[in-house]
Amino acid sequence: QANNNGLRLPPGPRRLPVIGSLHHLLGKQLIHRAMADLANRLDAPLMYLKLGEIPVMVATSPEAAREVMRTHDITFASRPLSPTMKTMMTYGQGLVLAPYGNHWRLLRKISMLGLLSGHRVQSFRDIREDEIMRLITGIAAVPPGVAVNLSKLISVHIADSTVRAIIGDKLERREEFLETLEEKIKLDSGFSLSNLFPSSRFVNFIWGTTRQALLNHQKNMELIECAVKQHEKRKATMVEKGIAEEENLVDLLLRMQKDGDLDVPLTMGTIKSLILDLFNAGSETSATTLQWAISEVIRNPKVMRRAQDELRNNLSGKQKITEDDLAKVKYVKLIIKETLRLHPPGPLLLPRECGELCKIMSYDVPKGTTMIVNAWAISRDPKYWDNAEEFIPERFECCSTDFKGGDFKYIPFGAGKRMCPGIAFAHVNIELALCSLLYHFDWQLQSGLAPCELNMTEAMGITIRRKNDLHLHAIVRVPFLSTH
Ligand code: HEM
């Protein structure tokens, strides 16, 4: 199709006045699935949609994704800012939404230095090992015959280990944090009418998402403020007692703020927004991945058996898995890869915005177009994956495909300049937790459900969580050494 500026736009479904292509998506199913069906029906690896007032293109093939995130990486290095997203910047700009430029560069560098580099991730090993023992102890404490809400325990575990790495301590108001995070995930999906008709005050008034997003963000900022105060109080006690601790991310940020002399000022609003971004981006994605991994393992008893045999044979009765042991197990790594293929927590990654007119797959992409990459559809495309819908960790056994952003048929962490900086942090957290859960316990579904009957329905938000919490019976198989 050509528009009236003479541009050659990619194919797209029929559009209606005012709502554009919205009727093809709304009320059908989850957005990533609906977009995949449309692209498939139109045979359009690059598809054009008008969602309300917003021009959107969707890349649904490795080739299109490569052109966006490699060939034209810089052109697509900023993100579109919906009204909901803008409210998240009310008190300062964090990292996830910052436009490509000096502010983004500085925050990304600080995040690597203080939290996400290989060296820093390694330094949080004691925290991870301590928190995993707390999780295992909590599960084992549930009386026999009572099912464990594993989803809930995993969310708490990941939140605690992430936040301890960031501020050095657990959050006093963790429950409130998890609740506001859950609400934020729903508000951030970007497809609410307030976001699709940003110029309409009427729609915004009726729909009210922006107002809810602002309230949610204010609550989050208040909680971060509390966390920073908690951190400072703890620091003062440590100094009083003469206990020296390694500088954590919050220490680093506050020191850099005090030293000044930066190209970009580090305001308290920026510092709090960065902490919030890292906490949100880090905890939700890892917890979701872990929950899907356990769900798939439960649904596939052969996979469970192979993983448990490998762990139990190699670790022969050890009472506690440490990170040194992870080198001895290979199969759990394949399970994590396969989980991220079938259940990338961000199915549409995070949207990018076209910074200047360019060509993708020989179509014109006008400046300001929102570009979505449907990573979920690409990693389930039977053109690139045998038995694409099945959970087969062995598919990664003899192939070099990995998630580091070099192979565009498998991009759960995105690619290019805005690729996720938290891969190392996430991976070791997920791996240690999954190994420990499978090593110490046997798992059974409630009330005689067969493995294949486990409900795998997804809930929509900016990430795809399980719709229902995972309730399972845990039977201790390898006793553990509890320190909690
Ligand atoms: C399984 C775990 C995770 C997955 C699947 C994941 C996935 C993603 C994806 C798809 C993006 C967008 C990439 C793009 O636009 O190309 C992203 C961005 C980001 N992730 Fe992750 N992530 C995970 C864990 C983490 C962790 C543990 C942290 C930090 C503690 C983190 C911090 C971030 C940040 C700060 C960004 C924004 C980067 C930027 O805009 O420059 N993520 N992540």
Side-chain angles (χ1 to χ4, degrees), residues 79 95-96 104 108 116 278 281-282 285-286 289 340 345 349-350 352 412-415 418-422 425-426 430:
R79 308 200 187 279
L95 168 58
V96 176
W104 169 79
R108 197 148 164 136
L116 302 173
L278 291 168
T285 44
S286 302
T289 305
L340 286 166
L349 307 181
L350 288 173
R352 310 285 187 93
F413 293 95
R418 296 305 287 248
M419 183 178 180
C420 178
F425 190 99
I430 295 170

Side-chain angles (χ1 to χ4, degrees), residues 92-217:
Q93 247 175 36
L95 168 58
V96 176
L97 298 177
Y100 180 62
N102 285 344
H103 182 91
W104 169 79
R105 233 172 257 118
L106 177 69
L107 296 196
R108 197 148 164 136
K109 193 167 139 198
I110 295 176
S111 307
M112 294 310 290
L113 275 175
L115 189 74
L116 302 173
S117 67
H119 168 72
R120 290 303 286 153
V121 170
Q122 192 51 37
S123 75
F124 305 130
R125 175 183 164 155
D126 289 350
I127 296 181
R128 284 187 295 271
E129 290 182 359
D130 182 47
E131 286 301 326
I132 201 66
M133 283 326 285
R134 194 184 305 276
L135 173 68
I136 299 294
T137 311
I139 294 172
V142 174
V146 177
V148 176
N149 183 343
L150 197 57
S151 301
K152 172 90 178 121
L153 292 182
I154 284 176
S155 296
V156 168
H157 163 70
I158 296 285
D160 284 350
S161 10
T162 306
V163 93
R164 276 182 71 184
I166 297 176
I167 70 164
D169 201 0
K170 288 191 205 196
L171 289 178
E172 281 161 6
R173 296 171 68 184
R174 180 229 289 139
E175 288 310 310
E176 284 174 79
F177 238 116
L178 290 175
E179 277 162 28
T180 23
L181 174 59
E182 191 168 343
E183 187 188 36
K184 184 173 155 59
I185 301 290
K186 290 182 193 145
L187 290 169
D188 276 359
S189 82
F191 296 103
S192 75
L193 290 186
S194 311
N195 288 332
L196 301 178
F197 295 93
S199 70
S200 169
R201 287 187 184 188
F202 175 70
V203 169
N204 197 16
F205 177 73
I206 298 291
W207 208 252
T209 318
T210 319
R211 201 174 49 248
Q212 288 171 39
L214 184 60
L215 289 175
N216 176 277
H217 189 55

Side-chain angles (χ1 to χ4, degrees), residues 48-325:
Y48 178 73
L49 302 172
K50 188 87 191 288
L51 300 182
E53 295 169 8
I54 313 291
V56 175
M57 289 190 195
V58 189
T60 316
S61 76
E63 297 74 26
R66 173 193 297 272
E67 287 198 30
V68 173
M69 293 191 285
R70 178 168 291 168
T71 319
H72 296 282
D73 192 14
I74 304 261
T75 307
F76 291 95
S78 289
R79 308 200 187 279
L81 297 176
S82 67
T84 314
M85 303 291 186
K86 281 188 190 142
T87 60
M88 307 292 173
M89 297 175 137
T90 314
Y91 303 100
Q93 247 175 36
L95 168 58
V96 176
L97 298 177
Y100 180 62
N102 285 344
H103 182 91
W104 169 79
R105 233 172 257 118
L106 177 69
L107 296 196
R108 197 148 164 136
K109 193 167 139 198
I110 295 176
S111 307
M112 294 310 290
L113 275 175
L115 189 74
L116 302 173
S117 67
H119 168 72
R120 290 303 286 153
V121 170
Q122 192 51 37
S123 75
F124 305 130
R125 175 183 164 155
D126 289 350
I127 296 181
R128 284 187 295 271
E129 290 182 359
D130 182 47
E131 286 301 326
I132 201 66
M133 283 326 285
R134 194 184 305 276
L135 173 68
I136 299 294
T137 311
I139 294 172
V142 174
V146 177
V148 176
N149 183 343
L150 197 57
S151 301
K152 172 90 178 121
L153 292 182
I154 284 176
S155 296
V156 168
H157 163 70
I158 296 285
D160 284 350
S161 10
T162 306
V163 93
R164 276 182 71 184
I166 297 176
I167 70 164
D169 201 0
K170 288 191 205 196
L171 289 178
E172 281 161 6
R173 296 171 68 184
R174 180 229 289 139
E175 288 310 310
E176 284 174 79
F177 238 116
L178 290 175
E179 277 162 28
T180 23
L181 174 59
E182 191 168 343
E183 187 188 36
K184 184 173 155 59
I185 301 290
K186 290 182 193 145
L187 290 169
D188 276 359
S189 82
F191 296 103
S192 75
L193 290 186
S194 311
N195 288 332
L196 301 178
F197 295 93
S199 70
S200 169
R201 287 187 184 188
F202 175 70
V203 169
N204 197 16
F205 177 73
I206 298 291
W207 208 252
T209 318
T210 319
R211 201 174 49 248
Q212 288 171 39
L214 184 60
L215 289 175
N216 176 277
H217 189 55
Q218 281 166 344
K219 175 82 187 183
N220 263 325
M221 282 311 213
E222 182 206 323
L223 292 167
I224 293 287
E225 169 109 35
C226 244
V228 174
K229 283 200 183 125
Q230 186 189 326
H231 165 268
E232 284 178 336
K233 211 164 121 194
R234 182 172 171 277
K235 194 92 204 159
T237 318
M238 290 295 179
V239 172
E240 236 171 65
K241 290 186 181 161
I243 304 173
E245 279 189 320
E246 208 177 327
E247 188 179 60
N248 62 34
L249 181 80
V250 180
D251 295 322
L252 174 67
L253 282 162
L254 295 175
R255 178 169 61 76
M256 289 178 84
Q257 183 191 43
K258 201 161 140 216
D259 292 351
D261 197 25
L262 296 164
D263 294 348
V264 181
L266 267 182
T267 63
M268 224 31 227
T270 301
I271 290 181
K272 285 195 271 177
S273 303
L274 176 62
I275 298 171
L276 181 62
D277 270 2
L278 291 168
F279 176 73
N280 284 347
S283 42
E284 173 62 19
T285 44
S286 302
T288 301
T289 305
L290 199 44
Q291 291 176 35
W292 284 119
I294 293 279
S295 309
E296 287 291 1
V297 166
I298 295 280
R299 268 170 65 87
N300 293 277
K302 276 192 193 151
V303 172
M304 171 126 76
R305 213 162 307 123
R306 183 169 167 192
Q308 288 179 324
D309 285 351
E310 190 193 49
L311 280 159
R312 292 174 190 169
N313 292 339
N314 284 340
L315 307 182
S316 48
K318 269 191 81 173
Q319 291 185 308
K320 178 184 173 187
I321 298 191
T322 66
E323 290 187 15
D324 292 333
D325 299 320

